[in-house]
């Protein structure tokens, strides 16, 4: 009997051993959520090739893991697709997070809090990221995502037009007053036909002036707002004064393309895609341009930064592997350098963005003497951004944008408009 029991135990151990070997030899599947094309709404090519290269590197390091994704999801459909996956409990282990979706996903508990994972990983150092880009993945003081690709706003400058008018290129830390004065000098009827045909700036909006003035419109938790104050009113009055230079003429991007406008705020992605058709400036003219910092009227420099982040599902069954894959996307220098080859944004990793390889690649991208000063880009990336990490931020800003633009277009009384706006957004935040 004892001998029989021993045999059964040995057989059981062998079966368990074979089972364990079989289990460990089975490939673990990790799923990721991505969308087709550019996050910045500009032309892109071979985006899946960039994703596939990351997956190949990861699977080589983790031979028992297979990474899968569903292709063909357009950006405009992605948020709804992800919401549906979350509702049925079938969301990917890891997924891209649009800037406008991050607050809601964090507030609803869809994303895993990464704080403890980051603390336990001795091979991860958050200081490798530009601070503002890393903080973009924080919600109420907790890290729920890592930045994959970011897109700062810079000022395009028509150098040729400035040179023709004998005006020097603005230096670092230039002010709103300097910006206005240059625009005033440049705005004119150049052929004396009674119609203004040369302009100072295109597409400089009220939110640009808010950033330039270092104004925080909301508190950190998004429970209060502050629109009805002198600083906000002054920023909007600056836009009124700037628009008045054009005497009611509606300036378009075509005017800038034809070399009639000196300044235009644009995201870095637009700078990158200005070269290919139909964005090529030389299609319209032969002027040279440069990229500089946005003007500021405050010592508190704030940067306008859009972010594409990646986060981990709260319900992933393989958090350790998902974390390693998340790092392959966001923390690997090879993956991040590919952003400059396959996409149009900026890597949030300092060492990648400030590398000689990236500088060489960007120089190859530009036309003639037009090229970006990497010192300017790095400097802008170091600036902090505003308090935007609360659930109702995106909707509150849509209300503000609509009301302020109506006030500007219809010449409404600013005091009355801002008082009404303050009340409306306060009520919305407290709903």
């Amino acid at each position: 009997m004892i001998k029989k029991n021993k045999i059964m135990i040995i057989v059981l151990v062998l079966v368990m051993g074979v089972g364990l070997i079989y289990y460990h030899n089975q490939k673990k599947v990790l799923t990721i959520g991505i969308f087709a094309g550019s996050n910045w709404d500009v032309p892109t090519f071979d985006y899946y090739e960039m994703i596939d290269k990351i997956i190949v590197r990861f699977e080589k390091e983790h031979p028992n893991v297979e990474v899968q994704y569903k292709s063909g999801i357009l950006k405009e459909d992605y948020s709804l697709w992800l919401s549906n996956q979350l509702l049925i409990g079938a969301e990917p282990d890891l997924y891209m997070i649009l800037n406008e979706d991050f607050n809601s996903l964090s507030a609803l508990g869809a994303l895993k809090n990464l704080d403890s994972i980051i603390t336990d990983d001795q091979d991860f150092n958050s200081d490798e990221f530009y601070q503002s880009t890393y903080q973009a993945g924080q919600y109420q003081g907790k890290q729920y995502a890592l930045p994959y690709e970011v897109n700062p706003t810079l000022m395009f400058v028509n150098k040729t037009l400035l040179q023709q008018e004998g005006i020097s290129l603005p230096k670092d830390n230039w002010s709103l007053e300097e910006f206005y004065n240059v625009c005033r000098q440049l705005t004119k009827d150049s052929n004396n036909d009674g119609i203004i045909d040369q302009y100072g700036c295109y597409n400089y909006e009220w939110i640009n002036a808010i950033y330039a003035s270092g104004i925080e419109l909301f508190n950190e938790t998004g429970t209060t707002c502050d629109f009805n104050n002198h600083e906000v009113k002054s920023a909007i009055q600056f836009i009124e004064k700037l628009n008045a230079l054009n005497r009611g003429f509606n300036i378009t991007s075509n005017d800038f393309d034809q070399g009639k406008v000196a300044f235009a705020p644009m995201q870095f992605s637009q700078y990158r895609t200005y070269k290919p058709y139909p964005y090529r400036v030389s299609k319209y003219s032969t002027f040279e341009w440069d990229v500089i910092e946005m003007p500021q009227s405050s010592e508190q420099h704030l940067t306008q930064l859009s972010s594409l982040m990646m986060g981990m599902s709260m319900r992933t069954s393989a958090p350790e592997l998902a974390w390693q894959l998340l790092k392959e996307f966001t923390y690997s220098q090879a993956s991040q350098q590919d952003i400059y080859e396959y996409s149009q944004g900026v890597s949030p990793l300092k060492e990648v963005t400030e590398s000689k390889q990236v500088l060489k690649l960007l120089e190859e991208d530009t036309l003639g003497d037009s090229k970006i000063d990497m010192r300017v880009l790095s400097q802008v990336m170091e600036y902090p951004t505003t308090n935007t990490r609360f659930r109702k931020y995106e909707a509150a800003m849509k209300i503000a944008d609509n009301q302020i633009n109506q006030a500007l277009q219809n010449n409404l009384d600013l005091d009355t408009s801002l008082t009404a706006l303050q009340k409306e957004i306060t009520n919305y935040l407290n709903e």
Side-chain angles (χ1 to χ4, degrees), residues 210 213 215-218 225-237 414-415 418-419 422:
I210 292 292
S213 304
I215 298 171
E216 294 283 6
L217 296 173
F218 304 92
C225 64
D226 193 11
F227 284 87
N228 191 21
N229 65 54
H230 175 71
E231 288 77 15
V232 173
K233 181 180 177 181
S234 295
I236 298 173
Q237 285 176 327
L414 278 183
D415 289 318
L418 290 176
T419 299
Q422 175 73 24

Side-chain angles (χ1 to χ4, degrees), residues 218 222 390-397 399 422-431:
F218 304 92
F390 57 90
R391 187 170 59 87
K392 293 185 175 182
Y393 174 78
E394 297 292 339
M397 285 303 293
I399 295 171
Q422 175 73 24
K423 183 177 180 180
E424 183 176 356
I425 294 185
T426 297
N427 290 338
Y428 172 68
L429 295 176
N430 291 326
E431 286 177 355

Side-chain angles (χ1 to χ4, degrees), residues 157-169:
V157 185
N158 181 336
K159 292 195 300 183
T160 302
L161 187 57
L162 262 61
Q163 289 167 359
Q164 287 174 355
E165 297 294 333
I167 299 172
S168 301
L169 190 72

Side-chain angles (χ1 to χ4, degrees), residues 175-192:
S175 67
L176 284 181
E177 183 179 1
E178 291 175 89
F179 176 44
Y180 175 80
N181 287 336
V182 174
C183 289
R184 181 172 50 80
Q185 286 179 260
L186 289 165
T187 305
K188 63 173 65 175
D189 171 14
S190 62
N191 58 7
N192 298 314

Side-chain angles (χ1 to χ4, degrees), residues 10 61 92 116 148 169-170 175 177 201 203 207 211 224 227 231 236 280 297 299 324-325 405 411 429:
I10 292 170
E61 292 292 323
S116 60
Y148 173 62
L169 190 72
S175 67
E177 183 179 1
C201 69
N203 206 34
I207 191 63
Y211 274 90
T224 63
F227 284 87
E231 288 77 15
I236 298 173
R280 179 185 281 271
S297 67
E299 293 182 3
Q324 295 303 320
L325 181 55
N405 282 330
N411 296 316
L429 295 176

